[in-house]
Amino acid sequence: MAKKDTQTRPLGAQISHMLKSRGVDTIFGIPGVHNQEMYRGIEEAGITHVLARHEQGAGFMADGYARASGRPGVAYVITGPGLCNIMTPMGQAYSDSVPLLVLSSCLDETANYRGQLHQMLDQEGAARTVCDWSHEARDAASAYALIDRALQEFTLQRPRTKHVQVPIAALEGEAEAAPDLPQPVSRSFGDLPGGMAQRIMSAKRPLFVLGGGARGDVEAAREVIGKMGAASIATVAGRGVMPRDYPLNYGGFLGRPESAEVAQGADLVVVVGSELAEVDLWRRELGYEGEMIRVDIDPEVLSQPGGGQGVLMDSGAFFRALQEAMEDGDAAGGGWNADEVAAQKKRWRAALEAERPGIPRVVDALQAVMPEDAMIFSDMTQFAYVSNEMWDMPQPGHWHHPTGFGTLGYAMPAAIGGAVARRGKPTVAIAGDYGFQYTVQELGAAVELGLPLPILLWDNGKLKEIEDSMVGAQIAPNSVIAHNPDFPALARAYGAHAETPQSLPALQDALLKALEADKPTLIYMTGEMTD
């Protein structure tokens, strides 16, 4: 048993020591005069700090770190503008169920004393608009309790952003060490409702809709769905739960209107770990009126009207329960045809070619050489939109896209966080010419860290998705073209490598070279590359 730390330190330093004792090894942030006390204990505690160029970048880095590692991402920011700057990443992490913990300083008193540096009317309330909860800890005991509460809830509930702010005077004040690590609390949602396993096994054409929350036990999921002869279709986050060579896997085409017809052809739909949100379907409802079972850990998801029978259960436990049931009996299944699945996917591929000419062939070229264990972080760009549908992932949880909040500028800083968490493993960023400029400054952080990070930059010279939308709405395109810099030269100015491949084979070579480089490489892509 470790000897209890009895040394008194400023609270800011004690918080870093506490986080280290709870398993936190990396913090992303920017120091300032109002949160410098939080930095007093970082090195002493043995925590690595990654310096971002903007708090938005720090938040996205912590988000990417959390997605890549499976552990909470932690960010330190200052009062006022620092907290405001990280609110976009906070909203993104909340929307995408990412365990992001933001710790900020705050002013000691704001009701009477006006005109202070970084003063806001309600900093705690502002943060609360984009996270699960936001609270002020006015003393050491409250700070420790709130941090432990956040870390426990990341494990026990649907993980979503938390914010704790501590007054500057409290951070500066002496405090005893945090209490010992609380006893871990396990998450259990009981057994399947009576008769449910038999009902699922008796379906002749069951369809499993797999979301990002369906990754609890991938081996069990694959065995159950395969033995049942069930079809599967995935959200963007659910790709890879079923292997890409599974003949009844419709892939990531759930957002296509015709997926409603696929669902209508089922005699039972089982939705696992998905909200079936607008950003999953690109319509209000799945379009299925038959029997549906919803499996999720979030009661709010299960309480949606018209959502079928809800099961509050972890996806891993759900699939293992079905595994056990199948040991005692055979599933009916057999109603789906691999040829019809392949034909539908071919039609969807043709639609992508027609909608965004030239992009699918580039996606094919990259997918052909991308290492199977690569983790990819993409931005809001047409290249990613095509990839989200047609790129069949070999394993789940290895493609991260800002689906819910839909922010620009996510890919590169999130990939930096992911690469920090995955040292020695391939990590890739995909961005568009416009969104890349939201967080381009984080190239400096990637260079400092010496990350072999390929940054695939798709440049179509405009906000092409918005232009297409305006044209579709019969609006004359306005403000969709901006002057772009010389991106390769800009990358070199930051100290990064840069490649401008003129053909698809050259693009493939550039990607593989970048994965072995000594620092990040910007790979400049356009639709003019030859085959």
Side-chain angles (χ1 to χ4, degrees):
M1 184 175 178
K3 184 177 179 181
K4 181 175 174 58
D5 185 358
T6 58
Q7 183 178 351
T8 299
R9 301 182 181 89
L11 176 58
Q14 294 287 28
I15 288 174
S16 292
H17 281 269
M18 175 192 184
L19 290 171
K20 178 66 173 181
S21 73
R22 270 57 168 171
V24 174
D25 58 15
T26 306
I27 291 171
F28 303 87
I30 302 176
V33 293
H34 278 180
N35 71 341
Q36 64 187 19
E37 283 297 335
M38 297 164 69
Y39 284 76
R40 185 186 296 275
I42 289 180
E43 290 188 9
E44 184 185 55
I47 292 177
T48 297
H49 181 270
V50 175
L51 175 64
R53 273 34 180 189
H54 188 281
E55 287 89 358
Q56 186 178 69
F60 287 145
M61 289 178 195
D63 172 298
Y65 177 92
R67 298 192 199 216
S69 67
R71 303 191 300 274
V74 180
Y76 279 0
V77 297
I78 61 164
T79 49
L83 189 280
C84 288
N85 286 340
I86 204 172
M87 283 175 62
T88 295
M90 289 171 68
Q92 188 63 63
Y94 176 89
S95 178
D96 287 354
S97 304
V98 177
L100 173 62
L101 174 59
V102 175
L103 297 170
S104 75
S105 55
C106 66
L107 298 175
D108 301 319
E109 196 281 324
T110 58
N112 179 57
Y113 185 25
R114 296 294 186 175
Q116 301 177 73
L117 178 67
H118 301 332
Q119 187 163 16
M120 292 178 66
L121 295 177
D122 186 0
Q123 178 176 295
E124 181 183 348
R128 189 176 294 117
T129 63
V130 288
C131 64
D132 188 23
W133 51 255
S134 169
H135 293 302
E136 182 173 330
R138 298 181 181 178
D139 53 41
S142 299
Y144 301 151
L146 285 170
I147 291 170
D148 273 336
R149 173 186 165 189
L151 297 177
Q152 290 273 26
E153 288 182 4
F154 287 148
T155 301
L156 298 175
Q157 302 174 2
R158 181 179 181 179
R160 284 181 147 168
T161 313
K162 324 285 185 182
H163 168 242
V164 178
Q165 64 180 33
V166 186
I168 297 169
L171 289 171
E172 295 171 342
E174 291 292 307
E176 294 183 356
D180 292 336
L181 186 67
Q183 290 295 318
V185 180
S186 60
R187 182 170 73 181
S188 175
F189 295 106
D191 301 320
L192 281 176
M196 178 169 287
Q198 289 69 31
R199 173 65 193 97
I200 295 173
M201 290 166 58
S202 66
K204 293 183 179 180
R205 284 175 62 92
L207 173 67
F208 282 78
V209 179
L210 304 171
R215 306 195 298 253
D217 190 330
V218 174
E219 185 177 338
R222 291 180 173 184
E223 180 180 341
V224 165
I225 293 173
K227 282 187 175 181
M228 289 182 63
S232 66
I233 192 166
T235 67
V236 169
R239 288 175 298 157
V241 173
M242 290 304 292
R244 52 191 175 191
D245 60 354
Y246 179 59
L248 300 179
N249 177 16
Y250 280 98
F253 288 103
L254 182 63
R256 288 275 146 182
E258 297 83 3
S259 70
E261 299 174 11
V262 172
Q264 290 164 8
D267 60 356
L268 174 68
V269 169
V270 183
V271 182
V272 185
S274 173
E275 292 180 277
L276 294 184
E278 179 189 74
V279 292
D280 295 321
L281 303 170
W282 295 112
R283 54 186 184 272
R284 291 298 298 269
E285 297 176 347
L286 178 61
Y288 173 76
E289 298 179 356
E291 184 178 2
M292 180 186 294
I293 294 171
R294 300 287 297 272
V295 181
D296 211 284
I297 64 170
D298 187 349
E300 181 181 346
V301 171
L302 300 178
S303 66
Q304 294 174 359
Q309 182 176 357
V311 181
L312 187 66
M313 199 171 190
D314 176 84
S315 64
F318 170 73
F319 282 117
R320 287 191 294 271
L322 288 180
Q323 266 184 320
E324 293 178 7
M326 292 179 71
E327 292 175 359
D328 301 324
D330 296 327
W336 293 96
N337 182 282
D339 290 338
E340 69 175 299
V341 176
Q344 181 59 69
K345 292 176 73 174
K346 187 175 181 180
R347 289 192 291 271
W348 281 329
R349 164 65 186 247
L352 283 174
E353 293 274 10
E355 293 165 359
R356 298 182 174 111
I359 296 180
R361 69 187 182 94
V362 184
V363 173
D364 284 337
L366 289 170
Q367 185 174 358
V369 298
M370 187 70 69
E372 289 211 346
D373 62 340
M375 185 168 285
I376 301 169
F377 294 83
S378 59
D379 216 325
M380 303 297 283
T381 171
Q382 286 192 330
F383 192 90
Y385 304 154
V386 173
S387 300
N388 283 339
E389 293 189 271
M390 64 174 282
W391 194 311
D392 291 324
M393 295 300 293
Q395 55 187 314
H398 275 62
W399 188 299
H400 303 288
H401 184 74
T403 303
F405 211 42
T407 179
L408 286 162
Y410 171 81
M412 184 174 63
I416 291 172
V420 168
R422 288 166 45 86
R423 289 278 188 176
K425 298 180 180 179
T427 305
V428 178
I430 295 176
D433 58 296
Y434 199 84
F436 178 68
Q437 296 179 77
Y438 274 49
T439 50
V440 63
Q441 66 273 8
E442 303 306 341
L443 260 175
V447 170
E448 281 181 351
L449 293 165
L451 299 176
L453 177 67
I455 303 162
L456 296 163
L457 179 64
W458 179 255
D459 186 0
N460 54 21
K462 59 179 69 177
L463 287 163
K464 187 66 169 62
E465 185 73 6
I466 308 307
E467 181 184 63
D468 291 349
S469 180
M470 284 181 160
V471 171
Q474 296 185 335
I475 299 170
N478 187 286
S479 300
V480 294
I481 298 176
H483 173 73
N484 278 339
D486 182 334
F487 287 110
L490 181 60
R492 294 187 186 102
Y494 271 102
H497 299 299
E499 299 285 347
T500 309
Q502 301 299 312
S503 68
L504 296 184
L507 172 63
Q508 293 173 321
D509 290 342
L511 171 64
L512 297 176
K513 178 183 174 183
L515 289 169
E516 302 296 331
D518 58 345
K519 53 188 176 181
T521 303
L522 185 138
I523 302 175
Y524 184 71
M525 306 185 298
T526 69
E528 298 178 359
M529 288 183 290
T530 64
D531 291 334

